[in-house]
Amino acid sequence: MSKALYFSEKDIQKRVTEVAHSINRYYADTCQEVVVIGVLNGSFMLVADLVRNLYGTLIIDFVKVSSYKKGIVSNKNPRMQVGVSVPIKDKLVLIVEDIVDTGHTLQKVIKHIKRKHPARINVFTLLNKTSRREVEVLINWVGFDIPNDFVVGYGMDYAGKFRNLGHIRPLLKFRGEAPMKVEQKSSHPFVAGRAPD
Ligand code: 5GP
Ligand code: MG
């Protein structure tokens, strides 16, 4: 297993805290509240960890996009399923994503938010697969750049599973073919015992 695709809970907490400090510095000069908008479902853990390290008055909201997908195949035309539910006109908006892959999902979210005329949009993604990018998207903070593999854990799923893992691990090598079966030694392969590093 490649080291660059496995991130322990400790790695993640350390990096999220570092990025939070950088975000705090960025917004330090403003006395405006920041609207943090997480992209569901994958960003739920990240938003929870991030906002506990952010200063100032925050409004927290979520949007939901029907992006993923048939298994691990990217959807080039994702749909907004749930839009922003708080006022964002003239506000500072911080979008929080779990992972940017082709960029279509983030592009859709940014378009949706722009239509509501916020003062500014900034983006934090925990993971970034630059080699897979199909559309240019705004990203201001990246947790980790990763190679082209499919990862699960820390909010990210495969077929709805594995979101509860505190760490991030690759599910399989992506080779453009049908997903390989995850090796399972027990019925709870990732819950019992530690993931290999
Ligand atoms: P994009 O539209 O950029 O291709 O994909 C963005 C969305 O697809 C992400 O928000 C995430 O939900 C999902 N995604 C992309 N890559 C991965 C991955 O490696 N693992 C998981 N679990 N989800 C991914
Ligand atoms: Mg996502």
Side-chain angles (χ1 to χ4, degrees), residues 11-185:
D11 298 334
I12 298 167
Q13 295 309 320
K14 182 168 176 279
R15 187 65 188 130
V16 171
T17 309
E18 277 169 11
V19 174
H21 289 333
S22 165
I23 294 174
N24 283 328
R25 281 195 297 276
Y26 176 80
Y27 288 119
D29 292 343
T30 178
C31 45
Q32 266 188 278
E33 40 194 46
V34 175
V35 184
V36 176
I37 299 180
V39 183
L40 292 173
N41 294 333
S43 73
F44 77 96
M45 274 197 199
L46 176 60
V47 170
D49 286 338
L50 177 74
V51 296
R52 279 179 286 189
N53 288 286
L54 294 183
Y55 306 141
T57 307
L58 303 177
I59 308 282
I60 300 167
D61 196 27
F62 292 90
V63 294
K64 191 168 163 95
V65 187
S66 67
S67 56
Y68 248 39
K69 294 162 186 181
K70 288 186 184 120
I72 57 168
V73 182
S74 254
N75 181 352
K76 287 184 202 272
N77 193 17
R79 263 184 329 108
M80 291 300 304
Q81 287 186 319
V82 180
V84 180
S85 62
V86 296
I88 56 170
K89 188 168 185 306
D90 301 325
K91 305 261 187 185
L92 301 174
V93 167
L94 174 64
I95 298 171
V96 179
E97 251 290 31
D98 51 353
I99 178 163
V100 180
D101 183 17
T102 62
H104 291 289
T105 302
L106 181 56
Q107 186 185 53
K108 187 82 190 184
V109 172
I110 290 174
K111 271 190 192 158
H112 165 76
I113 287 170
K114 267 192 179 157
R115 264 187 240 121
K116 297 179 185 296
H117 306 290
R120 202 187 303 165
I121 299 175
N122 291 94
V123 177
F124 167 38
T125 184
L126 182 65
L127 301 181
N128 187 26
K129 284 189 209 171
T130 39
S131 64
R132 294 257 306 155
R133 199 68 90 255
E134 291 175 12
V135 287
E136 278 304 313
V137 277
L138 168 78
I139 300 178
N140 302 97
W141 294 276
V142 172
F144 305 102
D145 282 302
I146 63 164
N148 177 20
D149 268 88
F150 194 86
V151 291
V152 292
Y154 196 66
M156 289 170 281
D157 74 312
Y158 173 65
K161 291 176 271 191
F162 312 126
R163 291 192 196 278
N164 57 304
L165 302 178
H167 63 277
I168 294 170
R169 56 176 298 148
L171 178 69
L172 48 83
K173 284 271 175 204
F174 179 71
R175 302 188 187 93
E177 62 204 26
M180 290 180 283
K181 277 233 160 104
V182 191
E183 281 174 41
Q184 297 197 359
K185 290 205 172 96

